[in-house]
Amino acid sequence: MKKQQGILRTQSYKKNIQLGILALPAILLIFVFSYVPMAGIFIAFKNINYEKGLFHSPWVGFDNFKFFFTSNDVWLVVRNTLSYNILFIAVGTLLSIVFAILLNEVLSRRMVKAYQTIFFFPYFFSWIIVAYMTYSFIGPYGVLTSLLERIGINFDFYTETWVWPILLTLVSIWKGLGYMSIIFYAGIMGISQEYFEAAAIDGATKLQMIRKITIPLLMPLITIMTLLSIGKIFYSDFGLFFFVPREIGQLYPVTQVIDTYVYRMLKASGDLGMSSAVGLFQSAMGFIVVLLSNFVVKKVNEENKLF
Amino acid sequence: MAFKKIGPQVWINLLFILFCLSCIFPLFAILSVSFSNETDIIQNGYRLFPAMFDFSAYAYILYKPLQILNAFKVSIFVSFFGTLVSLLITAGIAYPLAREDFKLKNKLSFYVFFTMLFNGGLVPTYMLINNYLHLSNTIWVLILPYLAVPWFILILRSFMQKIPHSIIESCMMDGASEFRIFFQIILPLAKPGLATVALFMLLQYWNDWWLSLLYIEKESLVPLQFMLYRMMNNISFLTNSSNMMPPGMKNVVLPSESARMAMAIVAAGPMLLVFPFFQKYFVRGLTVGAVKG
């Protein structure tokens, strides 16, 4: 008996080691590409001098964060990031839930299949291709531009700042709507048909069913998806804000977001301390927002929490 | 009952057809521009149906296709090699994470998924890869950073959790090592999951411009997407002098507008042709990832 237990223990030891070895490559990669950079946040507290190198450059405390209070740029960029994300989350979630519910009402199975396939189209394009598409509409020879020209309006989209919040929202929704609706649609498909049958017997109308069955039962998924997007509220789709407005400086006031700002600062001025200060601000705020929103959800409904 | 439904059905379908059109329309627009005549474009703007079909844009970009071919080569290598290796590595960690009896399961889960919540930011990552690992301007910089993506690990783990534990147990009874179980039992059983994740990976590698934007300057390592980006403002990147023009096209207007769109078609084409067929895997992967998330 004792001997057998011993064998089992060595077996379990061997098992754990072997499973660990299987996971090792991923563990190492994640360590190098995610955890080592985390240790690198100390750059934000240094005045980086290329000749001295990262480790021998002088410490400057919170000096790199000072310009948060002296420059208007940072706040503009933070404001842009947050307002675009709030807009995208609100409009995107709402529309995709409506789409998912309506898709569930389509009777023809064949049509549903066709819609699903086509809905994914925008998801397959890289942001660069999307930028080409936008250009083919609003560029100097674009479809929309020439249409406007024909009715006597000369409009240069790439210099007018006021249209870009609308354009960027349109493009963002266009690219993500199909994808999001399919996720919610799958959620609706997971709801047991019995609920609807029972409601139909009781004489409930379609609208009542949607309000009393579909939406409440979809709520956990909606909460998770929203939480995930809120967790990324300090991050933007770099491609959308970088490629679609074609890097036109005139448009920066409405197209610059934290990600593009850090990238441009890194590439142009090469001020590593300052750009990593902004980056650290972004990571820290993002982290706090996830924890906070998860905490709130936990209070409201334990089951819907993320972790 | 059925009669009552006809009205709403028409409206719902109409809405979806309109949205579907809006999904396809932009692609159609760049396609028709790529077949348009340059002088016609300059005079009349883009049209949805070219006044006459003109293939000079394609003749122009494919006349000396060395750079395009090279970009294709880079993209194809990165996509397929990257997906293959990434699939193995991802499966390698997803499997232990799916095993309830793995001792380090919880700690390892935290280790992986914490990186989804917090990261070091662009600058430290850039410094590490550029100054310390010296990966800039190598083909590996386009592959390595995406080899172990937490999101894909999560999706694959959900798939593997569905494999009944009794199968694994009976293999262990027979004295098979964990490696053998993984390669001979788990991987074949997880095929649908692997296919789904592989598609996501392929798409990620093929559509990536981020890594090349940051780390690639060498012409011979420019992938398709990055090449498109560089052409956005400057078509001459493709052909730097007029003697690169096909013989019949000298002294003609440089087809820059249409050539640009032709390039976009050439770059987007392969994925567009392949992916609609795998759409159902995509839907499956999405729902697994989202519901289990």
Side-chain angles (χ1 to χ4, degrees):
Chain A
M1 195 62 196
K2 215 170 190 184
K3 200 180 161 198
Q4 213 173 0
Q5 265 182 352
I7 290 172
L8 274 179
R9 199 170 308 136
T10 42
Q11 258 186 354
S12 126
Y13 181 70
K14 223 166 113 189
K15 176 192 78 189
N16 280 322
I17 293 279
Q18 286 177 341
L19 288 174
I21 291 174
L22 278 177
L24 197 64
I27 294 176
L28 288 177
L29 279 164
I30 292 174
F31 181 77
V32 172
F33 289 105
S34 298
Y35 283 94
V36 175
M38 272 183 219
I41 51 180
F42 73 85
I43 300 171
F45 304 98
K46 281 199 165 200
N47 182 11
I48 299 297
N49 183 328
Y50 275 106
E51 276 158 32
K52 288 181 186 158
L54 277 190
F55 296 102
H56 297 102
S57 294
W59 292 95
V60 291
F62 281 91
D63 269 13
N64 285 325
F65 294 85
K66 264 189 192 154
F67 85 115
F68 272 88
F69 303 99
T70 52
S71 111
N72 293 323
D73 275 10
V74 184
W75 295 117
L76 180 82
V77 164
V78 172
R79 191 204 67 191
N80 280 351
T81 311
L82 290 180
S83 15
Y84 275 120
N85 275 331
I86 291 169
L87 194 65
F88 295 170
I89 294 172
V91 181
T93 313
L94 202 72
L95 276 181
S96 44
I97 293 169
V98 170
F99 263 47
I101 290 172
L102 289 180
L103 196 60
N104 192 40
E105 296 301 319
V106 173
L107 286 176
S108 156
R109 288 289 105 192
R110 199 179 292 167
M111 288 307 263
V112 174
K113 273 258 138 54
Y115 294 146
Q116 277 190 343
T117 307
I118 299 172
F119 275 15
F120 265 113
F121 252 67
Y123 182 77
F124 291 132
F125 300 121
S126 73
W127 279 115
I128 297 176
I129 306 270
V130 175
Y132 274 79
M133 289 172 171
T134 355
Y135 179 80
S136 78
F137 276 84
I138 59 171
Y141 309 109
V143 177
L144 201 61
T145 322
S146 15
L147 205 72
L148 285 176
E149 219 164 83
R150 224 160 286 160
I151 56 171
I153 305 168
N154 269 319
F155 195 80
D156 185 358
F157 284 91
Y158 287 100
T159 55
E160 297 282 343
T161 47
W162 67 268
V163 290
W164 280 91
I166 305 168
L167 278 174
L168 289 172
T169 310
L170 267 177
V171 175
S172 166
I173 299 293
W174 174 79
K175 197 162 189 294
L177 183 55
Y179 173 93
M180 284 277 280
S181 339
I182 300 292
I183 291 183
F184 287 126
Y185 175 66
I188 295 178
M189 296 297 280
I191 299 173
S192 168
Q193 277 300 312
E194 284 168 22
Y195 292 116
F196 296 106
E197 280 159 16
I201 291 169
D202 289 344
T205 63
K206 265 265 126 64
L207 214 61
Q208 278 173 325
M209 287 190 214
I210 290 169
R211 273 182 48 203
K212 303 282 179 192
I213 301 173
T214 315
I215 293 183
L217 286 177
L218 206 54
M219 221 45 202
L221 186 59
I222 298 175
T223 327
I224 287 174
M225 296 308 289
T226 315
L227 265 185
L228 285 175
S229 350
I230 289 176
K232 290 193 213 105
I233 206 163
F234 279 89
Y235 297 87
S236 309
D237 234 321
F238 183 92
L240 171 65
F241 294 95
F242 191 75
F243 298 125
V244 176
R246 303 182 74 220
E247 287 188 77
I248 289 165
Q250 218 173 327
L251 300 175
Y252 281 0
V254 289
T255 61
Q256 185 88 293
V257 286
I258 300 177
D259 298 79
T260 55
Y261 185 68
V262 175
Y263 172 82
R264 285 182 179 129
M265 219 157 51
L266 177 73
K267 281 275 166 172
S269 74
D271 192 327
L272 295 177
M274 271 200 218
S275 36
S276 58
V278 180
L280 179 58
F281 170 76
Q282 183 186 34
S283 302
M285 291 309 278
F287 190 55
I288 292 169
V289 168
V290 182
L291 293 185
L292 217 67
S293 48
N294 190 57
F295 177 75
V296 172
V297 170
K298 227 160 144 180
K299 281 264 163 235
V300 178
N301 187 346
E302 181 76 21
E303 272 172 28
N304 292 354
K305 68 175 196 249
L306 203 57
F307 44 84
Chain B
M1 203 56 188
F3 177 70
K4 257 193 200 164
K5 276 184 176 162
I6 289 176
Q9 280 296 313
V10 170
W11 286 111
I12 293 172
N13 278 296
L14 197 67
L15 172 78
F16 283 136
I17 289 170
L18 278 177
F19 182 67
C20 285
L21 282 179
S22 89
C23 288
I24 299 173
F25 190 67
L27 184 72
F28 183 71
I30 53 175
L31 193 65
S32 57
V33 174
S34 74
F35 283 115
S36 297
N37 181 279
E38 189 72 13
T39 18
D40 188 42
I41 291 174
I42 290 166
Q43 276 167 10
N44 303 317
Y46 295 160
R47 293 172 197 235
L48 287 181
F49 297 96
M52 53 173 194
F53 274 95
D54 187 325
F55 295 94
S56 53
Y58 288 92
Y60 174 68
I61 61 167
L62 296 176
Y63 175 59
K64 289 251 167 95
L66 270 185
Q67 267 179 311
I68 295 179
L69 281 182
N70 191 59
F72 252 106
K73 232 167 54 194
V74 174
S75 282
I76 287 174
F77 175 75
V78 167
S79 305
F80 284 91
F81 186 72
T83 300
L84 200 73
V85 179
S86 177
L87 202 57
L88 261 177
I89 289 175
T90 306
I93 193 166
Y95 172 58
L97 287 178
R99 280 278 295 267
E100 287 301 328
D101 56 336
F102 179 46
K103 223 176 162 183
L104 295 171
K105 181 180 174 263
N106 290 331
K107 280 186 189 128
L108 197 58
S109 300
F110 179 79
Y111 175 81
V112 173
F113 303 121
F114 181 70
T115 61
M116 287 172 100
L117 301 177
F118 189 76
N119 65 69
L122 173 61
V123 180
T125 313
Y126 178 82
M127 294 294 284
L128 172 76
I129 291 178
N130 189 54
N131 299 17
Y132 291 92
L133 300 176
H134 301 290
L135 285 172
S136 287
N137 289 316
T138 63
I139 190 95
W140 308 112
V141 81
L142 298 175
I143 295 174
L144 286 171
Y146 292 161
L147 281 183
V149 178
W151 182 242
F152 297 155
I153 297 175
L154 195 75
I155 294 178
L156 201 54
R157 187 193 65 170
S158 308
F159 270 105
M160 286 179 169
Q161 274 167 344
K162 286 191 205 127
I163 298 175
H165 191 68
S166 53
I167 297 181
I168 300 164
E169 241 162 33
S170 67
C171 292
M172 284 199 290
M173 288 295 188
D174 292 342
S177 72
E178 289 297 337
F179 301 122
R180 204 156 155 212
I181 298 176
F182 176 69
F183 284 107
Q184 294 194 332
I185 309 289
I186 299 300
L187 286 189
L189 281 178
K191 251 182 205 157
L194 290 173
T196 307
V197 178
L199 282 172
F200 278 109
M201 289 169 174
L202 200 64
L203 189 70
Q204 157 168 293
Y205 276 119
W206 184 268
N207 274 349
D208 184 64
W209 34 262
W210 174 243
L211 294 174
S212 36
L213 187 67
L214 281 171
Y215 306 110
I216 298 292
E217 271 160 12
K218 215 157 129 189
E219 295 296 330
S220 61
L221 289 174
V222 170
L224 268 180
Q225 302 291 337
F226 190 41
M227 189 177 182
L228 265 187
Y229 160 66
R230 305 220 292 196
M231 277 177 47
M232 189 132 64
N233 296 316
N234 190 6
I235 184 85
S236 66
F237 167 68
L238 200 60
T239 46
N240 15 28
S241 62
S242 64
N243 60 21
M244 294 284 279
M245 293 275 279
M249 277 170 66
K250 279 187 184 148
N251 308 323
V252 189
V253 196
L254 191 77
S256 62
E257 293 291 325
S258 48
R260 209 176 268 160
M261 296 304 169
M263 261 311 291
I265 291 292
V266 168
M271 283 296 117
L272 277 178
L273 290 180
V274 169
F275 272 86
F277 297 104
F278 295 100
Q279 180 256 136
K280 70 167 189 215
Y281 287 104
F282 252 84
V283 176
R284 198 188 301 165
L286 279 180
T287 46
V288 168
V291 177
K292 286 269 181 165

